[in-house]
Amino acid sequence: MGDMANSSIEFHPKPQQQREVPHVGGFGCTLAELRSLMELRGAEALQKIQEAYGDVSGLCRRLKTSPTEGLADNTNDLEKRRQIYGQNFIPPKQPKTFLQLVWEALQDVTLIILEVAAIVSLGLSFYAPPGEESEACGNVSGGAEDEGEAEAGWIEGAAILLSVICVVLVTAFNDWSKEKQFRGLQSRIEQEQKFTVIRNGQLLQVPVAALVVGDIAQVKYGDLLPADGVLIQGNDLKIDESSLTGESDHVRKSADKDPMLLSGTHVMEGSGRMVVTAVGVNSQTGIIFTLLGAGGEEEEKKDKKGKQQDGAMDSSQTRAKKQDGAVAMEMQPLKSAEGGEMEEREKKKANVPKKEKSVLQGKLTKLAVQIGKAGLVMSAITVIILVLYFVIETFVVDGRVWLAECTPVYVQYFVKFFIIGVTVLVVAVPEGLPLAVTISLAYSVKKMMKDNNLVRHLDACETMGNATAICSDKTGTLTTNRMTVVQSYLGDTHYKEIPAPSALTPKILDLLVHAISINSAYTTKILPPEKEGALPRQVGNKTECALLGFILDLKRDFQPVREQIPEDQLYKVYTFNSVRKSMSTVIRMPDGGFRLFSKGASEILLKKCTNILNSNGELRGFRPRDRDDMVKKIIEPMACDGLRTICIAYRDFSAIQEPDWDNENEVVGDLTCIAVVGIEDPVRPEVPEAIRKCQRAGITVRMVTGDNINTARAIAAKCGIIQPGEDFLCLEGKEFNRRIRNEKGEIEQERLDKVWPKLRVLARSSPTDKHTLVKGIIDSTTGEQRQVVAVTGDGTNDGPALKKADVGFAMGIAGTDVAKEASDIILTDDNFTSIVKAVMWGRNVYDSISKFLQFQLTVNVVAVIVAFTGACITQDSPLKAVQMLWVNLIMDTFASLALATEPPTESLLLRKPYGRDKPLISRTMMKNILGHAVYQLTIIFTLLFVGELFFDIDSGRNAPLHSPPSEHYTIIFNTFVMMQLFNEINARKIHGERNVFDGIFSNPIFCTIVLGTFGIQIVIVQFGGKPFSCSPLSTEQWLWCLFVGVGELVWGQVIATIPTSQLKCLKEAGHGPGKDEMTDEELAEGEEEIDHAERELRRGQILWFRGLNRIQTQMEVVSTFKRSGSFQGAVRRRSSVLSQLHDVTNLSTPTHVTLSAAKPTSAAGNPSGESIP
């Protein structure tokens, strides 16, 4: 723990020097001052800023930056700031070393059994029994045994060990490369994140890591703040600080009440400018991360105890998060009496060691366990039969007495039996499964990058293959998100194209230009095109860009208006959010009065209008009757053309009657309508085809949009989501809610089940509607199969739905950070066609694993039966341990490589999705597995019992211990491998197709592996000798082996001819975990939901937030210590608090411990009564 205390002090070596020399580097603030400033909130923070700097601009002066112009973009200055105040970069936790991964791979149970067997075998082979020559032990050790042979006894043990080492290295290397890939991916995501800052008065997008203290950053709706800062100027800014404080309510920020903005928090509404005051490890999130890193040593210890095993697919960063989350979770104080049981349950959950599992992994684990159990039983029976047979034959039939000097000889026999038993087990357990899944996923993820899918959670890729429904946004995904105004209603006239400026009254034109220029984010602009002949670049909110473009089309310019009324002179801004669906800005008029400009969804704003401008620019009354008229004649026709209608209005207030600006409903009412414009967002040309593919693949596409229902319906028809003559529903959010809620206003699943199957378009929907719909479809049990839902989203408000969905797609270009954070896959080109590619890859993963299973299980069935019967009838397995391991290696490792890297084809999109409950091994596959097993067993048993007559060689049966390898058994081994090789080609098809060579050359890996395996097999047979129990074969014998192998392909055609429908007796295997098969642990949790895989995915995030939350508590305790006592002491205490964190985990109800630790300090050093969660 001492480490940790030091590391916390090393945090700021600078402040210590800066105490004496106040202004190192010529800046007026030290790192320590800024850090302590950022720990304050609200009034306390304001007071501190006033005392120390006068005001925020004083702070900017000290940091040598200008609130309006920002920093000079001068590299030396930026570098100096980085050296003094640190970089905006949090070093990731150390990845696992290769050795650690090797150690983890060695934990595999079967491998441990093998190691034990091999070591025992080795030990015994070096021990020469003294009574070797005595006749008393019988013919047990007799036979063709000479000195050289006895010496070779150790080879078998050594060979087993060697193959174990191979398996371990392959697994470890695989994990290591996966980790590396994941880190590459993480860093790519991080590099792509940009943030808007002002430097030299210019707006620049800089990578987040390039932010420095003193930068002036623009914050806007949907941003994830990358650094701590103080707000200079804000419009209606609301922040979600739950990631730091755990409070779900949005916090209002303003320069005069609470100007502190913290890294890692989300902007939910509004916009503003802040001066960056802390970056990287010195920001609030950074401090927490460093604490997590410093707690890492304890983590490791805790890990050893297996407190929490993390999902194999986690980047080590999230590992740190999760583990700390689990610890911290225990610390959660009980909020209320009812909360108590919930907490207990949560606590239980946190303690159950779990891995993240997707649908597929759930099915696979279950299958592997079933196979493993069967193998265990078989191997136990094998050993028992062998031992009994030997004992009865030696001591009963031959009537020998167990002599002391013979013990080692007998023990050696028993060890040989044990090794045979273990061999059966090893072959039975498909330890290649996890490998196949991993390789297949990793390969797909790499390839999906090329298809513009950036996969953040590996299993999302396979879940996507099972998707049955996609709920897509309209704007930006189905459409190009390049909006233009195409129709307008100005001065009593409906213009079908852009009117000539001369046709409009100057008054109307002037009002319109001001209303649009001022009442839109100043960050939104239209810039000249980058290349000649290209379209102008739209920066910022696309709807606003369309309106600004409308001004330019009217031959006016918005820039002069904005220069005349700069952003900081705006009196009040009500920013856009998903509830208001409108945005309003108030400016002060020269005469002391106020003018409010408002724009928003036309049906909402028109309800608030009482006047409208006529063709001369004069006011005319606007009654509800006029409004209905306008909706019918103007708005609906525009909407039916697929246009989005926006109303632009204004209102004047006299200087005498200044309203209460906080009463928004009063202020934004009694408006005068200036214009209604229709904005077109054209459908992406490739979307209709992509949607057709989805529908053909059995995936229902639904459109969920905030737009009005007519617009939505028109676009849905253009995309092909709705076809004329079909029975479908298009609902508005209100109507949707009315249909699914009962009298009390609660959502009922039965009601939802009546709505969603036919629903194709949900318009004017709120984020909660989207979440309700997604949750309703996922939880529904009506259809013949459970639904797997994918959701696309770009806005902050889509976060909940993206998290809830089985697969969340966020937009890489238009998406906000919040959406990306909640998603599983990021579409780097924001295009719906990429989703179809993801479906194709997902299905391919699923199929690859099925192919591998079909191949693997055939080998397993055959090898187990051969080893078992062979051992029982001839007291010796025809396939030796080392040979079995070789077969296992080729089957598992290479076959998983070969079959997992099959590229996807369009034909994958021609079948229906599998759904959650579809078994992994279909009837067709079962038919193939058993059919090929019958062929292989027939051949092998024929060879085993009459092979010596056929080939005219010595029989290998009943050979004594340590006898030299026989040609007979070598032929059996060789034939077995040849049949597997040709069966691998059969395994390429799982739906009963005839042509197994179809597209075989498009997969070079497959060809290489099959040929490579064949080459190694020749080497093993001809030169393997004693270690592989092989003796060289003649050319004729080789040809026979090959002939039998090729027979597999012919036999495959025979099997394909048998119709699966006739074989009712075949069972399917590897179903998803059903309701009745929940494990005790899961039942103990008292969970209502069936789908625990999905629950797991969510839990990580909750734990992480709660974890941060708890550590925040500890930090606030510490900061009070800092204020009261010496800093050094506090660090020691902080470490004790953290160690307490680790100890407490083991108590049953640790909550009181923390509380007692936290309360006194809060009373002592926390006059403002800072909230300690």
Side-chain angles (χ1 to χ4, degrees), residues 853-883:
L853 269 174
Q854 176 173 304
F855 171 67
Q856 162 101 44
L857 291 179
T858 313
V859 183
N860 280 8
V861 171
V862 174
V864 169
I865 294 177
V866 167
F868 175 69
T869 43
C872 297
I873 297 170
T874 66
Q875 287 90 68
D876 186 7
S877 166
L879 298 172
K880 299 288 180 287
V882 181
Q883 295 175 349

Side-chain angles (χ1 to χ4, degrees), residues 217-466:
Q218 286 273 11
V219 296
K220 60 181 187 309
Y221 165 74
D223 281 344
L224 173 73
L225 297 182
D228 293 355
V230 180
L231 190 65
I232 301 174
Q233 171 267 326
N235 305 320
D236 199 19
L237 197 58
K238 285 193 186 156
I239 306 270
D240 172 10
E241 291 190 350
S242 60
S243 55
L244 285 178
T245 62
E247 296 301 323
S248 55
D249 295 342
H250 298 170
V251 186
R252 285 198 95 107
K253 298 283 178 184
S254 60
D256 50 358
K257 290 200 179 70
D258 180 3
M260 309 313 263
L261 301 177
L262 306 174
S263 57
T265 59
H266 291 132
V267 183
M268 299 313 274
E269 273 185 44
S271 60
R273 280 206 317 277
M274 72 169 187
V275 55
V276 176
T277 53
V279 293
V281 287
N282 300 310
S283 66
Q284 293 298 307
T285 310
I287 293 172
I288 290 173
F289 261 112
T290 316
L291 279 184
L292 289 184
E297 288 80 70
E298 260 81 86
E299 284 321 326
E300 292 304 307
K301 289 180 204 138
K302 195 178 78 208
D303 231 17
K304 297 269 189 301
K305 292 180 199 146
K307 191 74 186 161
Q308 187 143 5
Q309 304 149 345
D310 11 275
M313 308 281 176
D314 272 355
S315 77
S316 50
Q317 272 185 16
T318 40
R319 270 184 205 157
K321 294 180 192 172
K322 270 211 190 118
Q323 291 160 347
D324 262 79
V327 182
M329 177 122 180
E330 318 286 27
M331 314 285 298
Q332 174 135 9
L334 298 179
K335 296 247 168 37
S336 64
E338 314 89 58
E341 299 121 56
M342 185 63 194
E343 292 301 330
E344 287 302 309
R345 225 167 74 190
E346 292 279 285
K347 225 172 282 159
K348 266 198 213 105
K349 249 193 270 182
N351 278 339
V352 179
K354 279 266 189 83
K355 292 192 170 164
E356 289 199 356
K357 279 211 186 77
S358 61
V359 182
L360 178 68
Q361 277 170 317
K363 290 180 184 177
L364 280 176
T365 316
K366 207 164 153 242
L367 191 69
V369 168
Q370 286 167 348
I371 297 171
K373 279 183 188 160
L376 202 61
V377 172
M378 291 290 274
S379 64
I381 296 175
T382 313
V383 173
I384 292 166
I385 289 181
L386 283 173
V387 171
L388 282 177
Y389 192 102
F390 173 76
V391 170
I392 291 170
E393 188 172 25
T394 313
F395 300 123
V396 180
V397 182
D398 297 356
R400 295 185 189 285
V401 190
W402 184 303
L403 297 174
E405 65 266 29
C406 292
T407 308
V409 182
Y410 295 145
V411 171
Q412 231 170 340
Y413 258 91
F414 290 141
V415 169
K416 178 181 158 189
F417 298 151
F418 177 59
I419 288 185
I420 292 174
V422 171
T423 320
V424 174
L425 178 64
V426 171
V427 177
V429 175
E431 59 278 335
L433 268 183
L435 200 65
V437 179
T438 311
I439 292 177
S440 185
L441 285 174
Y443 172 76
S444 303
V445 167
K446 213 167 181 164
K447 290 276 188 260
M448 281 168 81
M449 291 288 286
K450 294 196 177 75
D451 283 340
N452 303 313
N453 282 306
L454 189 99
V455 182
R456 292 183 64 234
H457 300 134
L458 271 176
D459 42 23
C461 145
E462 148 263 315
T463 315
M464 204 47 220
N466 291 333

Side-chain angles (χ1 to χ4, degrees), residues 13 124 215 243 268 337 449 500 535 587 619 630 672 683 881 895-897:
L124 284 167
D215 255 326
S243 55
M268 299 313 274
M449 291 288 286
L535 293 166
I587 55 169
L619 296 189
M630 183 154 169
T672 303
V683 172
S896 62
L897 258 175

Side-chain angles (χ1 to χ4, degrees), residues 70-92:
L71 295 174
D73 211 348
N74 161 353
T75 34
N76 296 345
D77 175 49
L78 295 178
E79 201 37 59
K80 192 163 90 181
R81 288 174 190 270
R82 281 197 191 103
Q83 275 168 1
I84 295 177
Y85 297 116
Q87 301 186 350
N88 195 21
F89 169 70
I90 297 170

